[in-house]
Structure formats: structure tokens, C-alpha cells
């Protein structure tokens, strides 16, 4: 293990997929379709455009991320890299340098202490309202949803064990 990242095969490229209002409605299907293409790294990019009716809402983003995470955590830890999930684990492992956070001097006070801040820190000014990410509630919902599994992966890493073991634990608890 290097830091808090999940060790997987070297990633030659990342398949980037824009998540909009329509494809966010079937997160498991989208994830499994992309995974079936054999891509080792999947990055999901939310469509955020105030003037586009297909733009994703913060609620849809949170539901989408949580549903994809539920499949990934049971089937693909160590096999498929999802950078946002690695970043979330890095936050849980308290390794902010790994998170490659971008500091924002104009963040509202509630953002300064938000645990999910590294997840939205890459949002630019056009994806913000009053300094806050337009997807803030979605990132927070995902952070809360993934918390139990992130804690277990963090603890496994701290005990020099692989987070991949979580998949076996989840399988046994069915």
C-alpha cells in the first residue's frame, strides 16, 4: 500500500464519463457497462451547467455516487480505480497531501471545516454559488453514505492489511 490508496494494477488511462440527469438515473447499469469495457479507471464528471436542462442536481449526484460506490465496494475494490473513491479514502486516512486539495480563499465558513471539502475542491467558480459547490449536498450525502465502509478500509490499512478484504467481509455478512 502506498499512503491510503487502494493498490490496483497500473492504470494506463482513465475513462471519463459525463454524468447528466438521464444517465444518473441508472447508476449501477452505467457503472457495470463501463466496467465491462475493461477500463481499469473510471472517472465520473458531473454535468454542471445552470443553463442546461440535462445538468445533474446535487441530490442526483449524491444518489448516483452512492449507488456506484455500493457496487464498487462489493465487487471491485483493487480492480477498478474510481479517483473520487480514492480521494474519499485519503480524507478518511487523514492524508490531505494525497488529496491534492486546492485551497479556496473565498470559501464560506461552513466549507472551511467540512469533511467533504476535498471532494468538491476541484469545482471551479462556474460550479459554485456564493462560493459553495452547486453539488455540495450531493458530495455530503455520498460522504455520509460511504463513511461506514471508508472507516473499515481505513482501519484495515492502519493494521497493514488490504482494503480489498472489505469485499470478503461484505460477502460474508449477506
Amino acid at each position: 500500500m502506498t499512503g491510503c490508496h487502494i493498490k490496483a494494477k497500473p492504470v494506463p488511462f482513465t475513462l471519463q464519463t459525463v454524468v447528466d440527469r438521464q444517465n444518473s438515473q441508472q447508476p449501477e447499469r452505467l457503472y457495470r457497462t463501463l466496467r465491462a469495457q475493461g477500463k481499469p479507471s473510471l472517472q465520473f464528471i458531473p454535468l454542471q451547467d445552470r443553463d442546461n436542462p440535462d445538468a445533474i442536481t446535487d441530490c442526483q449526484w449524491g444518489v448516483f455516487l452512492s449507488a456506484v460506490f455500493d457496487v464498487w465496494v462489493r465487487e471491485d475494490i483493487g480492480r477498478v480505480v474510481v479517483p473520487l473513491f480514492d480521494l474519499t479514502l485519503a480524507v478518511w486516512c487523514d492524508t490531505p497531501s494525497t488529496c491534492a486539495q486546492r485551497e479556496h480563499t473565498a470559501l464560506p465558513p461552513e466549507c472551511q471545516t467540512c469533511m467533504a471539502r476535498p471532494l468538491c475542491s476541484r469545482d471551479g467558480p462556474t460550479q459554485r454559488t456564493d462560493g459553495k459547490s452547486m453539488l455540495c449536498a450531493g458530495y455530503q450525502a455520498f460522504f455520509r453514505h460511504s463513511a461506514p465502509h471508508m472507516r473499515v478500509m481505513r482501519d484495515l490499512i492502519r493494521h497493514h492489511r488490504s482494503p480489498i478484504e472489505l469485499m470478503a467481509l461484505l460477502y460474508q455478512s449477506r
Side-chain angles (χ1 to χ4, degrees), residues 56-67:
I56 193 167
T57 66
D58 58 348
C59 181
Q60 290 168 329
W61 182 237
V63 168
F64 175 84
L65 289 176
S66 297

Side-chain angles (χ1 to χ4, degrees), residues 99-144:
C99 297
Q101 297 180 59
R102 204 171 60 174
E103 293 300 319
H104 294 281
T105 54
L107 286 176
E110 66 265 24
C111 294
Q112 298 293 335
T113 57
C114 178
M115 288 287 292
R117 185 180 95 186
L119 308 184
C120 71
S121 67
R122 294 168 290 169
D123 287 355
T126 59
Q127 291 106 12
R128 295 184 173 277
T129 303
D130 299 325
K132 201 171 179 181
S133 170
M134 292 172 19
L135 301 176
C136 175
Y139 282 119
Q140 289 181 359
F142 165 71
F143 199 83
R144 284 189 305 274

Side-chain angles (χ1 to χ4, degrees), residues 22-76:
Q22 183 178 354
N23 63 14
S24 73
Q25 300 304 307
Q26 297 183 339
E28 297 92 349
R29 182 176 178 201
L30 176 62
Y31 176 76
R32 286 192 167 105
T33 299
L34 296 171
R35 181 185 67 188
Q37 294 179 17
K39 308 304 184 226
S41 181
L42 304 175
Q43 181 176 7
F44 298 102
I45 303 166
L47 177 60
Q48 298 179 72
D49 181 350
R50 297 168 214 256
D51 300 324
N52 189 330
D54 292 326
I56 193 167
T57 66
D58 58 348
C59 181
Q60 290 168 329
W61 182 237
V63 168
F64 175 84
L65 289 176
S66 297
V68 168
F69 179 79
D70 287 346
V71 175
W72 176 85
V73 79
R74 285 177 172 72
E75 302 173 9
D76 294 320

